[in-house]
PDB file of all heavy atoms in Angstrom:
ATOM      1  N   SER A  65     -17.874   2.717  18.373  1.00 95.00           N
ATOM      2  CA  SER A  65     -18.772   3.739  17.827  1.00 95.00           C
ATOM      3  C   SER A  65     -18.100   4.642  16.800  1.00 95.00           C
ATOM      4  O   SER A  65     -18.786   5.253  15.966  1.00 95.00           O
ATOM      5  CB  SER A  65     -19.343   4.592  18.973  1.00 95.00           C
ATOM      6  OG  SER A  65     -18.293   5.234  19.688  1.00 95.00           O
ATOM      7  N   GLY A  66     -16.775   4.754  16.824  1.00 96.00           N
ATOM      8  CA  GLY A  66     -16.091   5.644  15.893  1.00 96.00           C
ATOM      9  C   GLY A  66     -15.821   5.034  14.535  1.00 96.00           C
ATOM     10  O   GLY A  66     -15.437   5.742  13.598  1.00 96.00           O
ATOM     11  N   ILE A  67     -16.010   3.723  14.404  1.00 97.00           N
ATOM     12  CA  ILE A  67     -15.753   3.044  13.130  1.00 97.00           C
ATOM     13  C   ILE A  67     -17.047   2.955  12.338  1.00 97.00           C
ATOM     14  O   ILE A  67     -18.045   2.414  12.820  1.00 97.00           O
ATOM     15  CB  ILE A  67     -15.169   1.638  13.373  1.00 97.00           C
ATOM     16  CG1 ILE A  67     -13.842   1.741  14.129  1.00 97.00           C
ATOM     17  CG2 ILE A  67     -14.966   0.897  12.059  1.00 97.00           C
ATOM     18  CD1 ILE A  67     -13.259   0.400  14.541  1.00 97.00           C
ATOM     19  N   THR A  68     -17.040   3.510  11.144  1.00 96.00           N
ATOM     20  CA  THR A  68     -18.238   3.514  10.291  1.00 96.00           C
ATOM     21  C   THR A  68     -17.865   3.033   8.884  1.00 96.00           C
ATOM     22  O   THR A  68     -16.690   2.768   8.596  1.00 96.00           O
ATOM     23  CB  THR A  68     -18.833   4.930  10.196  1.00 96.00           C
ATOM     24  OG1 THR A  68     -17.936   5.762   9.442  1.00 96.00           O
ATOM     25  CG2 THR A  68     -19.051   5.533  11.574  1.00 96.00           C
ATOM     26  N   LYS A  69     -18.857   2.981   8.015  1.00 94.00           N
ATOM     27  CA  LYS A  69     -18.606   2.562   6.634  1.00 94.00           C
ATOM     28  C   LYS A  69     -17.734   3.566   5.886  1.00 94.00           C
ATOM     29  O   LYS A  69     -17.183   3.260   4.825  1.00 94.00           O
ATOM     30  CB  LYS A  69     -19.933   2.367   5.903  1.00 94.00           C
ATOM     31  CG  LYS A  69     -20.725   1.162   6.411  1.00 94.00           C
ATOM     32  CD  LYS A  69     -22.039   1.002   5.655  1.00 94.00           C
ATOM     33  CE  LYS A  69     -22.810  -0.211   6.160  1.00 94.00           C
ATOM     34  NZ  LYS A  69     -24.115  -0.394   5.458  1.00 94.00           N
ATOM     35  N   GLN A  70     -17.632   4.789   6.444  1.00 95.00           N
ATOM     36  CA  GLN A  70     -16.775   5.803   5.814  1.00 95.00           C
ATOM     37  C   GLN A  70     -15.306   5.635   6.193  1.00 95.00           C
ATOM     38  O   GLN A  70     -14.436   6.289   5.623  1.00 95.00           O
ATOM     39  CB  GLN A  70     -17.248   7.214   6.222  1.00 95.00           C
ATOM     40  CG  GLN A  70     -18.484   7.695   5.485  1.00 95.00           C
ATOM     41  CD  GLN A  70     -19.743   6.928   5.857  1.00 95.00           C
ATOM     42  OE1 GLN A  70     -20.039   6.753   7.044  1.00 95.00           O
ATOM     43  NE2 GLN A  70     -20.467   6.453   4.857  1.00 95.00           N
ATOM     44  N   THR A  71     -15.031   4.750   7.150  1.00 97.00           N
ATOM     45  CA  THR A  71     -13.646   4.490   7.560  1.00 97.00           C
ATOM     46  C   THR A  71     -12.955   3.642   6.500  1.00 97.00           C
ATOM     47  O   THR A  71     -13.436   2.565   6.136  1.00 97.00           O
ATOM     48  CB  THR A  71     -13.610   3.749   8.911  1.00 97.00           C
ATOM     49  OG1 THR A  71     -14.329   4.511   9.891  1.00 97.00           O
ATOM     50  CG2 THR A  71     -12.178   3.543   9.381  1.00 97.00           C
ATOM     51  N   ASP A  72     -11.834   4.111   5.982  1.00 97.00           N
ATOM     52  CA  ASP A  72     -11.106   3.384   4.934  1.00 97.00           C
ATOM     53  C   ASP A  72     -10.232   2.267   5.498  1.00 97.00           C
ATOM     54  O   ASP A  72     -10.080   1.213   4.891  1.00 97.00           O
ATOM     55  CB  ASP A  72     -10.212   4.333   4.136  1.00 97.00           C
ATOM     56  CG  ASP A  72     -11.002   5.279   3.254  1.00 97.00           C
ATOM     57  OD1 ASP A  72     -12.155   4.952   2.926  1.00 97.00           O
ATOM     58  OD2 ASP A  72     -10.463   6.344   2.897  1.00 97.00           O
ATOM     59  N   VAL A  73      -9.604   2.515   6.658  1.00 97.00           N
ATOM     60  CA  VAL A  73      -8.667   1.546   7.217  1.00 97.00           C
ATOM     61  C   VAL A  73      -8.597   1.732   8.728  1.00 97.00           C
ATOM     62  O   VAL A  73      -8.700   2.860   9.232  1.00 97.00           O
ATOM     63  CB  VAL A  73      -7.268   1.693   6.566  1.00 97.00           C
ATOM     64  CG1 VAL A  73      -6.664   3.067   6.835  1.00 97.00           C
ATOM     65  CG2 VAL A  73      -6.318   0.591   7.029  1.00 97.00           C
ATOM     66  N   VAL A  74      -8.452   0.637   9.456  1.00 97.00           N
ATOM     67  CA  VAL A  74      -8.319   0.668  10.910  1.00 97.00           C
ATOM     68  C   VAL A  74      -6.875   0.287  11.263  1.00 97.00           C
ATOM     69  O   VAL A  74      -6.350  -0.719  10.775  1.00 97.00           O
ATOM     70  CB  VAL A  74      -9.312  -0.304  11.582  1.00 97.00           C
ATOM     71  CG1 VAL A  74      -9.011  -0.446  13.076  1.00 97.00           C
ATOM     72  CG2 VAL A  74     -10.744   0.185  11.370  1.00 97.00           C
ATOM     73  N   ILE A  75      -6.263   1.102  12.098  1.00 97.00           N
ATOM     74  CA  ILE A  75      -4.862   0.899  12.480  1.00 97.00           C
ATOM     75  C   ILE A  75      -4.798   0.342  13.897  1.00 97.00           C
ATOM     76  O   ILE A  75      -5.429   0.881  14.817  1.00 97.00           O
ATOM     77  CB  ILE A  75      -4.060   2.220  12.408  1.00 97.00           C
ATOM     78  CG1 ILE A  75      -4.315   2.944  11.071  1.00 97.00           C
ATOM     79  CG2 ILE A  75      -2.582   1.955  12.622  1.00 97.00           C
ATOM     80  CD1 ILE A  75      -3.961   2.139   9.847  1.00 97.00           C
ATOM     81  N   VAL A  76      -4.026  -0.734  14.082  1.00 95.00           N
ATOM     82  CA  VAL A  76      -3.862  -1.339  15.408  1.00 95.00           C
ATOM     83  C   VAL A  76      -2.376  -1.502  15.711  1.00 95.00           C
ATOM     84  O   VAL A  76      -1.544  -1.575  14.800  1.00 95.00           O
ATOM     85  CB  VAL A  76      -4.562  -2.713  15.502  1.00 95.00           C
ATOM     86  CG1 VAL A  76      -6.059  -2.580  15.264  1.00 95.00           C
ATOM     87  CG2 VAL A  76      -3.946  -3.718  14.538  1.00 95.00           C
TER      88      VAL A  76
END
Side-chain angles (χ1 to χ4, degrees):
S65 60
I67 299 174
T68 69
K69 291 180 179 179
Q70 283 69 49
T71 304
D72 290 338
V73 62
V74 170
I75 312 301
V76 299

